[in-house]
C-alpha cells in the first residue's frame, strides 16, 4: 500500500512515516499517546505533519458531512434542495475565502514593508506615550495601603482579572472573545471557533525552534476552494496549499510592551501592576495606553490578522504589538478562535487558573506536549510547595510592622484577614520551631498538626488564600517593609540597597497554605532540614488527578519526547484510569553500524556491581578503574562517564588518586571532573577544547541529574563514548520516597496486585529514565556515531533491558552476549568499532 502523504517537506524516512502515522491515528481515534523518537530524527516536523494533516483532512470531512446534512423541506423538489445546499456551501466557502484573502493582503503588505526596509516603522500611528516624570506625586506610603475588601460577596466569585475592568472594557473584551462573558450572551465576530492543536513545550526557546519548523510545512486547505455551481470538486491532492494559522501565547513578562511595566523585576510585579492600571479607580491618564479601548475594535482585529497572517514566535508577536501600538498579551486572545495551532509553554497549559486567565479551553481540541519526559515532574512541581522557617518568621515580622503602621486604616474585612494570616503563620511556626532541635533530618507532618494553632480551626482557608491573592497583601506588605529599609539604607551611604525579591516571602506562605486545601489522599506534608534550617514541604503523590481535566476535555493527548522510555511510568502515574494508551518507540535514523552498545558486567578480578552495599569498597572502585583503563585506549575523541551522584564520584576520585588509577588515566586522556563547586560552563569549555586539540582525546566525569545532565549535547567528537557507572536509583530512604512508595503500593493493593511490586517498578523507572536521558545525548543527528557502555552486571537483567529505548535495545548483542560481557571482550568490540569508524587512521590502535 502506498504510504500516506503527510506533506512532509522532505522525503520522510521510514521511522518518520511511522511516527506521523501514529500521531494521525492517535488523534483520529481520540486516544492518549506516548511517542518517543530520538533526538536528530526530525521529531518536531513529524509531529507537525502528522497532526496538521489530520486537522486539515478532518475539516474537509466535517465540511462535506455538514453539506450533506443541510436540512431541506421534504416536499421540495430535488433540484431546489440541491440549490439550497449549494448556496449554503458557497456562503461558507466565500466567508472563509474572504478571511484568507485578508490574511494574504496582510502578508503582501508586510512583504512590501520588508522590501522597503521600513520594518522599524509602525504600521499605524502609535498612541501617545506618557512622558517621563508624569507620575502623580502621592503620599508614598498610600501606595502600600490595602483597598477595602469584602470577600463575603461569594455569589459572584471573581475570575482572574475580569472584575478589574471597567464595564466598557469588559464589554469590548467579551465581544472580542478576550474574556468569557458572565452570561452566554456573547456577540461573535465573523470567525468561528476552529478545531485546533495546542502544542506545548517547556521553554520559549524550544517553542521558537518549533515555530521555525512550522514555517517549513505547506498543506492543502481544509475546506475546498470556491467554485461555480456545477463545476466538480478538484482532486484535493492537487489543490494549492493554504497558510497555517498559528498563534503563540505567552505571559505578560514576555508580551508586555509598556516600558513602565515590563521593566519591573518579576512576573508577579508585572502582573499586578498591569491589573492595577486597568482598575476602574485608576485615572484614565494613568491607565495603560496599550490596553484595547472601545475605539480599538478594528485595531484588535488588525492585530489578529497580522498575528495569523504569518507564523510567529513570541518575540515576533510582541513586535507586532509594538508596531500596532496595542497590547499583544490581550490582543492575541481573539486570534485563538480562528487559529489552527496554538503554541504555549507548559505552565500556561498545565495550570487550570492560567488557562482560565487566558480564556482558553482544550475541550474537543488536540493537545500535544513535547519534551514530555519532564511532564510528571512539571505537574508535581506546579502542585507542590514549601516554606522555610526563616520565611515564616520574616513574613510574620513584616506583617507586624505593617499592622503597626496601617492598623487604623484597615477597612472592610482587611483587619480580620491580616490577623488570620498572622495566626496561621503562628500555627505553622508552632510545628516548625521544635523541629530545629530534632536530631533527624526529616519526617512526615500531619496536616491537622499544621492547623492546630489557637483559633485556626475557625478560619476558612479558601477565603483566606483568596484574600491574600486579591488584596495583593504580599506585595503591599513587602513593599512597605522595603520602603522603610530603603530609607534606612539612604542614611548609611555605601551600603547595598535592598530590592524587592522575585517572589515575596508572604507568597511562599500563601502557596503553602493553598496545598493545605488539597485532598489529603493526593499528597503528603514533610519536614526536612537544609543547612540547619527547617523546611515544611508539601509533595503531590498523585499527579494523575491534576492532569485528568486536560485528558478528559481534549479530543486526543500526545506526549512526545526524544527519550520517553520506560513508558509505564507515564501510564501508571498520569493515566492509571485509562484502559489503554497508544505507545511508539521509534528507531533511529542512523545506520546500525553507527552505534555500539555493550554491557560491561565483569573484569578479570570479578563482577562489576555498584549497588549501595558493594560500590564503596576499594576493590570495586579499583575494579572499575581497571575496566575503564582497558577500554579507554581504543576510544578516539571525547568520552563522557556518568556516575550516580556527586558523592560517589568524589569517593571514586579519591580512591583512584590513592591507587594510581587517576594518574594512569591522565596519561591516556586529558581528564576533567564535573563538581558542585566549579561552574559547569568552565568545565565543559575546558573539556571541549581538549577534545578539539588533544589527539589522545578527553575524558569527562559527570553525574546523572547533575549540572551537565540537561541542556548540553555530546554530539560528534564531544561524545564518541558514553559510559554509565551503576544504576542511579533515588535514595529510597528519604521520607518523601517512603511516602511515595507507600502510596503506590497501597493503590496497587487496592487493584489486587502483589505488595511492593508497584513501588519497585516506579523506582526502577525513575532510575532508567535518568540513564536513558544520559545515553540519549550521544547521538544527535543522522551522521553521528558513538559507543555506549553500561558498567554494571544488573544491566544484563531482562527487566532492566526492557526499560531501555527501542533503538538502544536493538543495538545490544543477542543471545548470551546480551547478558553482558567481560571487559576484555568489550574492549575488543570497542577497538573494532573505532577502527571502522575512523577509516584506518585510528591513533588509539597505536596504544593497544
Ligand atoms: S495592558 Fe499589556 S502592555 Fe499594558 S501593562 Fe498590561 S500587559 Fe503591559
Amino acid at each position: 500500500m502506498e504510504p500516506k502523504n503527510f506533506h512532509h517537506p522532505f522525503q520522510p524516512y521510514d521511522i518518520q512515516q511511522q511516527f506521523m502515522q501514529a500521531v494521525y491515528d492517535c488523534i483520529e481515534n481520540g486516544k492518549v499517546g506516548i511517542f518517543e523518537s530520538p533526538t536528530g530524527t526530525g521529531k518536531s516536523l513529524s509531529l507537525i505533519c502528522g497532526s496538521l494533516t489530520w486537522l486539515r483532512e478532518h475539516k474537509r470531512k466535517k465540511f462535506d458531512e455538514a453539506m450533506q446534512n443541510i436540512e431541506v423541506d421534504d416536499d421540495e423538489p430535488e433540484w431546489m434542495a440541491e440549490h439550497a445546499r449549494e448556496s449554503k456551501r458557497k456562503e461558507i466557502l466565500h466567508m472563509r475565502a474572504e478571511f484568507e484573502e485578508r490574511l494574504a493582503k496582510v502578508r503582501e503588505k508586510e512583504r512590501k514593508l520588508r522590501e522597503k526596509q521600513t520594518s522599524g516603522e509602525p504600521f499605524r500611528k502609535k498612541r501617545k506615550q506618557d512622558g517621563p516624570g508624569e507620575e502623580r506625586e502621592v503620599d508614598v506610603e498610600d501606595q502600600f495601603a490595602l483597598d477595602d475588601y469584602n470577600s463575603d460577596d461569594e455569589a459572584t466569585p471573581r475570575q482572574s482579572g475580569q472584575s478589574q475592568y471597567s464595564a466598557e472594557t469588559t464589554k469590548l473584551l467579551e465581544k472580542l472573545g478576550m474574556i468569557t462573558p458572565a452570561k452566554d450572551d456573547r456577540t461573535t465576530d465573523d470567525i468561528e471557533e476552529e478545531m485546533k492543536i495546542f502544542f506545548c513545550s517547556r521553554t520559549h526557546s524550544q517553542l521558537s525552534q518549533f515555530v521555525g519548523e512550522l514555517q517549513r510545512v505547506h498543506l492543502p486547505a481544509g475546506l475546498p476552494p470556491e467554485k461555480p455551481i456545477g463545476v466538480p470538486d478538484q482532486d484535493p491532492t492537487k489543490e494549492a496549499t493554504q497558510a497555517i494559522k498559528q498563534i503563540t501565547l505567552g505571559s505578560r513578562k514576555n508580551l508586555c510592551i509598556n516600558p513602565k511595566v515590563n521593566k519591573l523585576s518579576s512576573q508577579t510585579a508585572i502582573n499586578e501592576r498591569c491589573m492595577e492600571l486597568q482598575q476602574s479607580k485608576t485615572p484614565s491618564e494613568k491607565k495603560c495606553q496599550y490596553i484595547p479601548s472601545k475605539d480599538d475594535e478594528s485595531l484588535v482585529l488588525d492585530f489578529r490578522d497580522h498575528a495569523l497572517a504569518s507564523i510567529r514566535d513570541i518575540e515576533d508577536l510582541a513586535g507586532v504589538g509594538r508596531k500596532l501600538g496595542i497590547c499583544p498579551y490581550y490582543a492575541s486572545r481573539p486570534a485563538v478562535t480562528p487559529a489552527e495551532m496554538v503554541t504555549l509553554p507548559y505552565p500556561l497549559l498545565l495550570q487550570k487558573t492560567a488557562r482560565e486567565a487566558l480564556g482558553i479551553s482544550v475541550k474537543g481540541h488536540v493537545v500535544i506536549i513535547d519534551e514530555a519526559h519532564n511532564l510528571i515532574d512539571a505537574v508535581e512541581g506546579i502542585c507542590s510547595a514549601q516554606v522555610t522557617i526563616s520565611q515564616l518568621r520574616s513574613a510574620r515580622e513584616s506583617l507586624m510592622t505593617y499592622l503597626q503602621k496601617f492598623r487604623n486604616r484597615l477597612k472592610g474585612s482587611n483587619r480580620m484577614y491580616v490577623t488570620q494570616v498572622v495566626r496561621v503563620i503562628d500555627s505553622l511556626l508552632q510545628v516548625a520551631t521544635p523541629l530545629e532541635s530534632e536530631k533527624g533530618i526529616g519526617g512526615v507532618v500531619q496536616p491537622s498538626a499544621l492547623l492546630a494553632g489557637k483559633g485556626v480551626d475557625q478560619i476558612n482557608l479558601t477565603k483566606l488564600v483568596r484574600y491574600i491573592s486579591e488584596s495583593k497583601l504580599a506585595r503591599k506588605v513587602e513593599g512597605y517593609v522595603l520602603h522603610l529599609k530603603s530609607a534606612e539604607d539612604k542614611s548609611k551611604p555605601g551600603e547595598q540597597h535592598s530590592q524587592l525579591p522575585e517572589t515575596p516571602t508572604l507568597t511562599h506562605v500563601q502557596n503553602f497554605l493553598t496545598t493545605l486545601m488539597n485532598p489529603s489522599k493526593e499528597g503528603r506534608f514533610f519536614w526536612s532540614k537544609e543547612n540547619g534550617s527547617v523546611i515544611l514541604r508539601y509533595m503531590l503523590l498523585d499527579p494523575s488527578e491534576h492532569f485528568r481535566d486536560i485528558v478528559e476535555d481534549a479530543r486526543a493527548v500526545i506526549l512526545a519526547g526524544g527519550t520517553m522510555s520506560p513508558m509505564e511510568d507515564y501510564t501508571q502515574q498520569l493515566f492509571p484510569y485509562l484502559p489503554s494508551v497508544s505507545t511508539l518507540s521509534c528507531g533511529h535514523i542512523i545506520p546500525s553500524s553507527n552505534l555500539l552498545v555493550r554491557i560491561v558486567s565483569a573484569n578479570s578480578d570479578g563482577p562489576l556491581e555498584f549497588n549501595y552495599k558493594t560500590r564503596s569498597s576499594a576493590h570495586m572502585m579499583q575494579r572499575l578503574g581497571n575496566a575503564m583503563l582497558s577500554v579507554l585506549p581504543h576510544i578516539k575523541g571525547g568520552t563522557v562517564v556518568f556516575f550516580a551522584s556527586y558523592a560517589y564520584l568524589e569517593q571514586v576520585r579519591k580512591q583512584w588518586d590513592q591507587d594510581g588509577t587517576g594518574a594512569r588515566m591522565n596519561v591516556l586522556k586529558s581528564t576533567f571532573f564535573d563538581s558542585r563547586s566549579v561552574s559547569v560552563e568552565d568545565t565543559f569549555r575546558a573539556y571541549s577544547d581538549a577534545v578539539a586539540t588533544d589527539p589522545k582525546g578527553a575524558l569527562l566525569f559527570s553525574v546523572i541529574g547533575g549540572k551537565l545532565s540537561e541542556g548540553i549535547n555530546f554530539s560528534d567528537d564531544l561524545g564518541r563514548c558514553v559510559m554509565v557507572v551503576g544504576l542511579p536509583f533515588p535514595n529510597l530512604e528519604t521520607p518523601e520516597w517512603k511516602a511515595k512508595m507507600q502510596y503506590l503500593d497501597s493503590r496497587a493493593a487496592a487493584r489486587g496486585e502483589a505488595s511492593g511490586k508497584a513501588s519497585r517498578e516506579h523506582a526502577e523507572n525513575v532510575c532508567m529514565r535518568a540513564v536513558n536521558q544520559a545515553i540519549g545525548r550521544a547521538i544527535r543527528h543522522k551522521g553521528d556515531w558513538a559507543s555506549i557502555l553500561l558498567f554494571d552486571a544488573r544491566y544484563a537483567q531482562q527487566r532492566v533491558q526492557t526499560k531501555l529505548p527501542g533503538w538502544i535495545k536493538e543495538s545490544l548483542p543477542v543471545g548470551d552476549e546480551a547478558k553482558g560481557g567481560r571487559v576484555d571482550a568489550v574492549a575488543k568490540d570497542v577497538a573494532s568499532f573505532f577502527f571502522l569508524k575512523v577509516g584506518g587512521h585510528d591513533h588509539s590502535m597505536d596504544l593497544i
Side-chain angles (χ1 to χ4, degrees):
M1 200 172 78
E2 189 75 1
K4 187 172 174 60
N5 180 4
F6 288 105
H7 312 282
H8 197 283
F10 312 109
Q11 178 59 40
Y13 290 95
D14 284 352
I15 57 137
Q16 291 171 332
Q17 185 72 27
Q18 208 186 342
F19 193 91
M20 291 186 289
Q21 189 67 56
V23 169
Y24 185 100
D25 292 344
C26 179
I27 303 175
E28 175 63 18
N29 299 326
K31 294 202 70 171
V32 169
I34 305 172
F35 301 144
E36 165 180 77
S37 187
T39 311
T41 54
K43 171 174 50 73
S44 299
L45 266 180
S46 300
L47 280 171
I48 292 167
C49 296
S51 59
L52 284 177
T53 299
W54 174 85
L55 185 78
R56 291 272 166 105
E57 287 184 8
H58 175 79
K59 277 191 196 177
R60 176 73 62 105
K61 204 163 83 191
K62 287 283 150 198
F63 175 76
D64 290 343
E65 278 171 18
M67 291 303 106
Q68 283 307 314
N69 295 332
I70 289 173
E71 282 184 15
V72 281
D73 249 334
D74 281 350
D75 32 337
E76 271 180 5
E78 182 50 31
W79 68 267
M80 275 185 74
E82 186 55 32
H83 183 78
R85 279 191 205 105
E86 202 50 45
S87 304
K88 185 73 191 163
R89 174 188 162 94
K90 252 185 112 179
E91 189 191 323
I92 294 174
L93 291 179
H94 185 67
M95 205 174 84
R96 300 298 309 190
E98 268 185 353
F99 181 54
E100 292 297 333
E101 212 175 291
R102 257 197 346 256
L103 298 188
K105 276 188 188 148
V106 173
R107 278 193 286 276
E108 181 57 16
K109 195 172 154 195
E110 287 184 1
R111 191 186 61 75
K112 283 188 178 151
L113 275 172
R114 272 197 303 274
E115 264 177 19
K116 285 190 202 159
Q117 295 188 317
T118 54
S119 55
E121 291 289 309
F123 293 149
R124 58 166 59 204
K125 201 166 173 289
K126 279 187 198 174
R127 282 168 284 190
K128 183 183 167 293
Q129 292 189 24
D130 290 347
E134 285 182 35
E135 293 280 346
R136 188 166 51 101
E137 278 304 316
V138 288
D139 175 356
V140 273
E141 285 177 356
D142 269 1
Q143 61 184 305
F144 305 118
L146 288 160
D147 296 334
D148 289 0
Y149 186 84
N150 188 357
S151 75
D152 295 330
D153 183 16
E154 285 180 81
T156 51
R158 300 178 189 198
Q159 286 188 27
S160 301
Q162 290 187 24
S163 60
Q164 309 282 354
Y165 307 123
S166 66
E168 215 169 48
T169 308
T170 305
K171 213 167 153 211
L172 175 75
L173 294 179
E174 283 178 3
K175 188 171 177 213
L176 295 170
M178 293 160 71
I179 56 171
T180 312
K183 283 187 276 152
D184 196 16
D185 57 357
R186 267 178 288 181
T187 48
T188 50
D189 196 9
D190 53 346
I191 300 299
E192 285 176 14
E193 173 84 41
E194 288 280 341
M195 162 68 84
K196 61 185 99 271
I197 293 162
F198 286 91
F199 183 92
C200 177
S201 198
R202 251 181 342 139
T203 61
H204 277 299
S205 86
Q206 283 163 344
L207 287 172
S208 292
Q209 281 173 22
F210 175 82
V211 164
E213 299 286 21
L214 202 54
Q215 285 162 344
R216 303 161 90 168
V217 178
H218 304 281
L219 292 141
L223 267 52
E226 259 187 303
K227 62 171 181 63
I229 293 177
V231 174
D233 280 349
Q234 219 182 322
D235 175 357
T237 57
K238 299 208 173 82
E239 282 168 15
T241 59
Q242 188 181 77
I244 298 159
K245 283 159 280 297
Q246 170 265 355
I247 185 82
T248 296
L249 297 180
S251 61
R252 286 188 183 89
K253 192 160 190 211
N254 303 111
L255 289 171
C256 177
I257 56 168
N258 184 336
K260 284 185 186 165
V261 180
N262 64 16
K263 67 167 189 244
L264 294 173
S265 60
S266 75
Q267 170 105 24
T268 325
I270 292 172
N271 286 344
E272 286 179 0
R273 185 74 186 128
C274 170
M275 299 304 285
E276 271 165 29
L277 292 180
Q278 292 169 45
Q279 279 173 358
S280 41
K281 63 170 195 177
T282 307
S284 55
E285 72 280 7
K286 303 301 295 174
K287 288 196 162 131
C288 175
Q289 59 187 315
Y290 301 108
I291 183 82
S293 73
K294 66 177 176 2
D295 305 322
D296 289 330
E297 186 172 354
S298 75
L299 192 55
V300 171
L301 293 176
D302 265 6
F303 179 92
R304 183 192 70 185
D305 290 352
H306 277 90
L308 293 174
S310 303
I311 292 168
R312 303 174 194 275
D313 68 10
I314 197 93
E315 277 165 23
D316 299 333
L317 204 64
V320 173
R322 245 176 248 119
K323 284 173 182 173
L324 288 173
I326 191 148
C327 170
Y329 174 74
Y330 285 107
S332 53
R333 295 178 196 188
V336 172
T337 307
E340 297 173 294
M341 173 78 81
V342 179
T343 47
L344 70 173
Y346 264 22
L348 294 190
L349 180 89
L350 295 181
Q351 277 170 294
K352 199 169 182 197
T353 48
R355 295 201 299 277
E356 283 171 357
L358 284 169
I360 55 170
S361 159
V362 298
K363 197 150 190 78
H365 301 296
V366 176
V367 172
I368 297 180
I369 300 178
D370 199 10
E371 303 298 333
H373 59 275
N374 280 324
L375 185 62
I376 297 175
D377 294 343
V379 175
E380 285 177 352
I382 283 170
C383 303
S384 299
Q386 65 172 44
V387 63
T388 65
I389 195 164
S390 38
Q391 282 167 341
L392 288 171
R393 283 178 181 143
S394 151
R396 189 183 196 285
E397 199 184 311
S398 301
L399 277 167
M400 296 315 287
T401 311
Y402 186 82
L403 270 175
Q404 225 168 25
K405 172 74 190 175
F406 292 96
R407 187 182 297 274
N408 296 332
R409 289 166 65 181
L410 294 183
K411 300 208 184 92
S413 320
N414 277 317
R415 192 189 294 201
M416 174 189 82
Y417 279 121
V418 175
T419 316
Q420 285 186 355
V421 179
V422 176
R423 250 193 231 165
V424 174
I425 292 179
D426 281 345
S427 184
L428 297 177
L429 280 168
Q430 197 176 297
V431 174
T433 309
L435 295 171
E436 282 184 303
S437 48
E438 274 279 320
K439 290 231 165 45
I441 51 156
V444 176
V445 179
Q446 293 309 322
S448 53
L450 294 168
L451 296 175
K454 195 169 156 229
V456 176
D457 56 342
Q458 308 293 321
I459 295 172
N460 180 330
L461 265 190
T462 314
K463 279 187 177 184
L464 185 62
V465 168
R466 204 175 100 195
Y467 167 77
I468 301 174
S469 166
E470 292 184 353
S471 64
K472 303 181 192 72
L473 182 70
R475 284 268 147 206
K476 302 260 180 191
V477 170
E478 203 119 332
Y480 175 65
V481 172
L482 186 79
H483 163 71
L484 291 183
K485 208 151 182 335
S486 302
E488 235 177 76
D489 288 346
K490 272 184 202 148
S491 63
K492 297 177 203 159
E495 285 211 1
Q496 249 199 344
H497 285 201
S498 318
Q499 278 191 342
L500 212 55
E502 169 82 14
T503 309
T505 314
L506 202 52
T507 305
H508 292 289
V509 179
Q510 179 195 343
N511 292 342
F512 189 74
L513 293 186
T514 309
T515 64
L516 277 161
M517 297 184 299
N518 286 353
S520 56
K521 68 177 174 54
E522 278 180 16
R524 295 278 183 284
F525 288 91
F526 302 94
W527 70 272
S528 61
K529 269 187 199 171
E530 250 168 53
N531 304 324
S533 175
V534 173
I535 300 169
L536 297 176
R537 173 179 293 131
Y538 172 80
M539 190 178 97
L540 184 75
L541 296 174
D542 182 3
S544 66
E545 284 306 312
H546 290 263
F547 196 59
R548 193 169 181 156
D549 52 347
I550 292 180
V551 175
E552 284 178 351
D553 275 0
R555 176 194 172 95
V557 176
I558 292 176
L559 311 189
T563 310
M564 298 297 289
S565 295
M567 293 183 187
E568 307 79 60
D569 224 22
Y570 302 95
T571 50
Q572 287 160 11
Q573 299 279 313
L574 285 179
F575 316 115
Y577 50 87
L578 289 182
S580 73
V581 169
S582 306
T583 56
L584 175 74
S585 178
C586 267
H588 216 299
I589 48 175
I590 52 163
S592 56
S593 59
N594 279 15
L595 181 66
L596 178 93
V597 185
R598 290 291 180 272
I599 292 157
V600 190
S601 301
N603 77 348
S604 52
D605 302 329
L608 289 161
E609 193 165 328
F610 303 93
N611 61 38
Y612 286 118
K613 282 190 193 133
T614 57
R615 69 181 192 180
S616 296
S617 83
H619 288 311
M620 193 55 76
M621 291 189 272
Q622 265 171 5
R623 211 175 279 174
L624 173 68
N626 291 338
M628 284 184 178
L629 284 167
S630 317
V631 183
L632 282 171
H634 311 304
I635 297 167
K636 188 171 161 50
T639 302
V640 187
V641 186
F642 285 103
F643 279 79
S645 67
Y646 281 107
Y648 186 50
L649 174 59
E650 278 307 309
Q651 215 180 351
V652 172
R653 188 179 181 179
K654 230 183 236 170
Q655 171 64 34
W656 287 354
D657 282 346
Q658 280 169 17
D659 65 23
T661 307
R664 288 160 69 201
M665 282 184 182
N666 281 334
V667 173
L668 290 172
K669 308 270 174 200
S670 297
T671 307
F672 303 88
F673 284 84
D674 179 18
S675 118
R676 276 181 281 221
S677 57
V678 180
S679 107
V680 65
E681 289 81 17
D682 289 351
T683 311
F684 187 67
R685 200 178 309 115
Y687 166 72
S688 312
D689 289 349
V691 168
T693 55
D694 188 342
K696 297 196 304 287
L699 178 59
L700 174 62
F701 290 99
S702 177
V703 169
I704 285 189
K707 293 194 288 179
L708 278 160
S709 67
E710 281 257 359
I712 294 179
N713 293 329
F714 296 105
S715 59
D716 300 316
D717 273 355
L718 288 176
R720 290 301 183 203
C721 183
V722 170
M723 301 179 180
V724 179
V725 178
L727 281 101
F729 276 98
N731 180 0
L732 306 179
E733 293 307 311
T734 62
E736 285 87 348
W737 260 98
K738 278 185 180 162
K740 179 89 189 183
M741 311 257 287
Q742 218 175 40
Y743 172 77
L744 290 174
D745 283 336
S746 64
R747 210 174 57 176
R751 294 194 299 263
E753 288 176 19
S755 151
K757 187 170 168 276
S759 56
R760 191 191 62 208
E761 183 86 1
H762 177 59
E764 279 174 3
N765 288 342
V766 168
C767 161
M768 288 308 292
R769 207 161 61 201
V771 170
N772 294 341
Q773 281 297 322
I775 57 184
R777 290 155 64 215
I779 304 272
R780 308 306 285 187
H781 58 87
K782 67 173 191 263
D784 209 352
W785 56 271
S787 53
I788 292 170
L789 305 182
L790 305 168
F791 286 78
D792 197 308
R794 288 173 293 171
Y795 282 110
Q797 292 169 7
Q798 178 71 16
R799 212 178 60 230
V800 174
Q801 288 188 6
T802 54
K803 295 182 192 299
L804 290 166
W807 62 283
I808 302 268
K809 248 183 310 202
E810 281 162 22
S811 296
L812 274 171
V814 284
D816 277 353
E817 261 197 275
K819 295 196 184 111
R822 270 177 49 142
V823 74
D824 35 4
V826 172
K828 269 191 196 146
D829 290 349
V830 171
S832 316
F833 177 73
F834 276 85
F835 186 73
L836 281 173
K837 295 320 288 181
V838 294
H841 300 287
D842 183 5
H843 300 288
S844 63
M845 295 303 284
D846 306 336
L847 296 162
I848 299 174

